Amino acid sequence: AVEFAIRRGKAAIITQYRPAFLNTEYFPIRMRVPDPMGVWEVNSETGIMYFVVESSRYAWEFKREIEKKNKYAKDAGSKTKWTLPGKDYGDTDQPSVREYYDGEYYSVFCDDEMVLPPTEHKHGFVPLAMCYMGNVSSALPEWRAQSIIAPVMDALKVQAALFDKISTASEFYFYPL
């Protein structure tokens, strides 16, 4: 989360409750920190109404995750059923995965095909926390999410290139040091 906050100017933290982990050695609350550039939240005066997370995932990883989730759901006695995408993806294909969350429901799409129908997540709230790094008085989103490191990024790249040239020159051409 800290890396994204510094590089992107904001961080997104998603909370998920995993009832299948009850009475096991695993903690039943999972926190995910996706790249905030793929998180779109819709705000209201009382907070976040809903949000969508979009990412590209390897097909083999996504299929394995669906199989695991179906196994956990079956073991927990849940009726939640994930379906594999209808398109036959190769293992190295990267389909677009979209997850929808609101205060009550959660749903997942893979390349515009629903793989998890709207399912109650039973959190009782929208499970997203957005952390903005911009220390500005404006409430406009384009001013809140300002990267801390972006203004000096070009200077850092130039400095790194210069240090590389100096080290190469000293290694090959300057003798003795």
Side-chain angles (χ1 to χ4, degrees), residues 49-119:
M49 291 186 347
Y50 67 90
F51 67 98
V52 175
V53 179
E54 183 172 2
S55 61
S56 293
R57 310 263 299 276
Y58 282 110
W60 66 267
E61 175 192 19
F62 190 56
K63 288 175 188 175
R64 189 179 73 187
E65 184 176 342
I66 288 174
E67 290 166 3
K68 273 183 164 180
K69 288 188 178 194
N70 280 333
K71 180 186 177 300
Y72 289 142
K74 183 180 176 186
D75 292 347
S78 174
K79 293 183 174 108
T80 302
K81 179 71 174 153
W82 290 69
T83 57
L84 289 169
K87 184 178 175 187
D88 189 27
Y89 293 104
D91 286 346
T92 56
D93 291 340
Q94 291 188 347
S96 175
V97 178
R98 286 182 206 86
E99 303 169 64
Y100 168 85
Y101 296 84
D102 64 17
E104 298 174 27
Y105 295 99
Y106 167 65
S107 185
V108 179
F109 294 82
C110 179
D111 279 344
D112 299 325
E113 182 182 344
M114 187 179 298
V115 293
L116 177 69
T119 306

Side-chain angles (χ1 to χ4, degrees), residues 21 42 66 90 134 138 145 154 173 177:
F21 290 160
V42 175
I66 288 174
S138 175
D154 289 336
Y173 305 110
L177 281 179

Side-chain angles (χ1 to χ4, degrees), residues 143-169:
W143 289 106
R144 284 190 303 182
Q146 293 294 315
S147 171
I148 293 173
I149 202 166
V152 295
M153 200 60 155
D154 289 336
L156 290 174
K157 288 177 184 175
V158 169
Q159 186 180 26
L162 180 62
F163 286 159
D164 180 56
K165 289 176 184 177
I166 290 172
S167 69
T168 301

